[in-house]
Amino acid sequence: MTVQELLDSKMFAIVNEGEDTAREITTVFCCDLLSIAMGRAPAGCAWVTVMGNINTLAVASLADASCIIMAEGAQLDEMAVKKANGQGITVMGTELPIFEAALNIYRKLPKQEKEAIV
Amino acid sequence: MNDAIVLKYQISPDDFTRAGEASSDVKGKLKQLGISPEAVRKVAIAMYEGEINMVIHANGGEIVVEITPAEIKMVLADVGPGIPDVEKAMKAGYSTAPDEVRNLGFGAGMGLPNMKKYTDDMKIETTIGVGTTITMLVKL
Ligand SMILES: Nc1ncnc2c1ncn2[C@@H]1O[C@H](COP(=O)(O)OP(=O)(O)O)[C@@H](O)[C@H]1O
Ligand SMILES: [Mg+2]
């Protein structure tokens, strides 16, 4: 599934539509501690978090996540929205808890990518 | 070494809104140079952790990145307080970061371990009251 397909699925609200939306989502990753996310987030992951400050955007970009999903109704602060715009990072939002948000993405991943997770 | 590209950045202290800008800039330049995505990611992660540490722990500093066809070398030099026990600081989970830093999602004590994990070589030179210089290499 590509980032664009996830956007189009209307599963989540669109906070910012980024640049590289044709990119394939490789896996789902959940974490709110930025330095753990930095070391562990797999390249190309959809990153589900409640941490919405400007540093979240930096970590997503540098660790090369394909998109960010803000769970639990968590909001990006104003500066973070600007950064998402400027850096072309795709951000979506949902009222769902982290696990349910991640599970919904997982269910849409192709079979071989699901198997790679379990 | 005469075909090295050298990039220099001044890192300002205590400015979390700008922290990561140097690393983002390097990431962009490496991409433009056609460096492999895996190498770009390694450099970006390692340098960001070092950059954040300079902001949190060391009153800022200077980062010099040297790019050659064989490797990318990052030298992060600060005139902060120094690291009293490097072995302890390298342990996953060890952190002296204050609460307001933790509230931003940092201070998990994973920075130095991440820097080691994502680079092919890492050297820490530190003197109490004088500063810290961390040199990291990513081979291409
Ligand atoms: N440049 C530095 N100058 C002084 N102390 C540092 C520096 N970098 C790291 N440290 C010390 O090493 C500890 C561990 O660093 P790190 O693994 O990045 O974790 P964190 O930044 O989350 O605290 C820090 O809490 C700090 O005490
Ligand atoms: Mg750190």
Side-chain angles (χ1 to χ4, degrees):
Chain A
M1 174 175 53
T2 64
V3 173
Q4 191 62 54
E5 284 165 343
L6 184 60
L7 286 165
D8 293 344
S9 75
K10 303 258 175 11
M11 188 186 285
F12 306 124
I14 300 173
V15 179
N16 184 62
E17 187 164 334
E19 274 153 23
D20 193 7
T21 58
R23 190 162 178 204
E24 203 64 35
I25 296 172
T26 55
T27 184
V28 196
F29 177 78
C30 304
C31 186
D32 300 315
L33 268 176
L34 298 183
S35 13
I36 291 181
M38 197 63 177
R40 298 277 189 186
C45 69
W47 175 21
V48 189
T49 182
V50 296
M51 184 62 81
N53 63 50
I54 191 166
N55 305 111
T56 307
L57 279 300
V59 170
S61 161
L62 295 167
D64 207 19
S66 61
C67 59
I68 300 172
I69 292 91
M70 301 295 301
E72 298 275 11
Q75 305 281 321
L76 286 187
D77 62 37
E78 199 183 314
M79 221 160 11
V81 173
K82 275 201 195 119
K83 178 108 172 172
N85 270 304
Q87 301 247 321
I89 302 167
T90 298
V91 184
M92 291 168 251
T94 179
E95 294 297 323
L96 291 174
I98 293 180
F99 176 75
E100 280 82 347
L103 183 63
N104 283 344
I105 302 169
Y106 173 83
R107 287 197 171 122
K108 291 205 151 225
L109 290 180
K111 190 159 175 276
Q112 70 272 20
E113 282 165 8
K114 280 188 194 162
E115 281 166 0
I117 296 173
V118 188
Chain B
M1 291 298 277
N2 48 7
D3 47 0
I5 297 170
V6 180
L7 308 169
K8 263 195 194 134
Y9 302 89
Q10 298 302 322
I11 310 303
S12 19
D14 291 320
D15 189 351
F16 286 96
T17 61
R18 296 200 53 202
E21 280 183 4
S23 307
S24 291
D25 191 72
V26 168
K27 185 192 171 191
K29 294 211 161 91
L30 294 180
K31 261 190 172 167
Q32 278 170 16
L33 287 168
I35 310 278
S36 77
E38 300 90 277
V40 173
R41 186 163 176 271
K42 283 176 165 180
V43 169
I45 291 173
M47 182 169 157
Y48 180 71
E49 292 288 6
E51 188 180 345
I52 285 286
N53 279 354
M54 290 171 122
V55 175
I56 303 175
H57 306 294
N59 308 315
E62 188 183 68
I63 302 180
V64 179
V65 182
E66 213 177 278
I67 307 154
T68 67
E71 64 188 27
I72 296 165
K73 182 165 136 188
M74 294 162 269
V75 181
L76 294 80
D78 67 59
V79 288
I83 305 174
D85 185 342
V86 172
E87 205 183 316
K88 203 160 147 195
M90 285 298 298
K91 287 220 171 79
Y94 177 81
S95 173
T96 61
D99 283 346
E100 62 263 30
V101 168
R102 282 173 208 273
N103 292 341
L104 291 169
F106 296 112
M110 296 303 297
L112 291 172
N114 280 346
M115 288 154 77
K116 175 131 189 96
K117 177 176 164 192
Y118 284 100
T119 54
D120 295 300
D121 190 57
M122 173 172 160
K123 191 172 74 190
I124 302 179
E125 294 157 292
T126 185
T127 309
I128 300 302
V130 176
T132 302
T133 298
I134 301 182
T135 306
M136 297 184 284
L137 270 187
V138 170
K139 300 220 166 86
L140 296 175

